[in-house]
Amino acid sequence: MKAISLAIPFVCVVTAGLSAQTTPTERAAAADILAEIDVLQERLAPMDVANRLAARDDPDRDAIVNRVEDLWLNQMQDLSDYIGLNPEVGFEEFKTVDTVTAVLEAFGFSIERGQAGLSTAFVGTWD
């Protein structure tokens, strides 16, 4: 059995005008980190990479993107909306865990609940 990790890659672009730091104290405290982010953004040029990848003709990628879009529009968006509309207290997300694990099991994952001593923590594995 092989454990897999599902992640949705995304790019965060931080600009001075749109930063989350709203007070002078917050901006001063975050200045070094924001400078590091700016250097990393310049070095990695994520928009250039994304544009280059998107411009390529790649039927395999297009099939995956279409599948992801289908899953999002027909299943995962509703799951996301449900979670957002049914907030729960941290470490007591029982409805959310029940819902997410049911979805994962429907996709063929085996779920081990109660991980790390937390009743709301789980590990999903997919054979």
Side-chain angles (χ1 to χ4, degrees):
M1 191 178 319
K2 189 193 315 186
I4 68 165
S5 172
L6 299 176
I8 300 174
F10 61 94
V11 176
C12 293
V13 177
V14 177
T15 63
L18 299 175
S19 70
Q21 293 69 38
T22 57
T23 68
T25 302
E26 289 173 326
R27 284 191 293 275
D32 291 343
I33 298 299
L34 292 174
E36 288 181 38
I37 290 171
D38 288 342
V39 168
L40 185 61
Q41 288 279 35
E42 188 174 325
R43 187 182 61 159
L44 295 177
M47 292 304 295
D48 293 342
V49 172
N51 288 332
R52 210 169 43 250
L53 291 173
R56 290 183 187 165
D57 185 28
D58 187 339
D60 291 335
R61 179 210 52 221
D62 294 345
I64 292 169
V65 169
N66 289 335
R67 176 70 174 134
V68 168
E69 180 181 31
D70 180 60
L71 284 170
W72 173 253
L73 293 175
N74 294 307
Q75 293 174 322
M76 296 299 133
Q77 188 172 21
D78 289 341
L79 174 62
S80 177
D81 291 345
Y82 173 82
I83 292 169
L85 293 171
N86 294 280
E88 297 178 89
V89 175
F91 300 105
E92 296 180 22
E93 306 93 340
F94 298 107
K95 287 181 187 176
T96 299
V97 169
D98 289 346
T99 304
V100 171
T101 56
V103 169
L104 290 172
E105 287 173 327
F107 279 104
F109 284 80
S110 298
I111 305 297
E112 296 176 57
R113 292 167 176 78
Q115 297 298 301
L118 300 172
S119 57
T120 55
F122 63 90
V123 171
T125 55
W126 189 25
D127 295 329

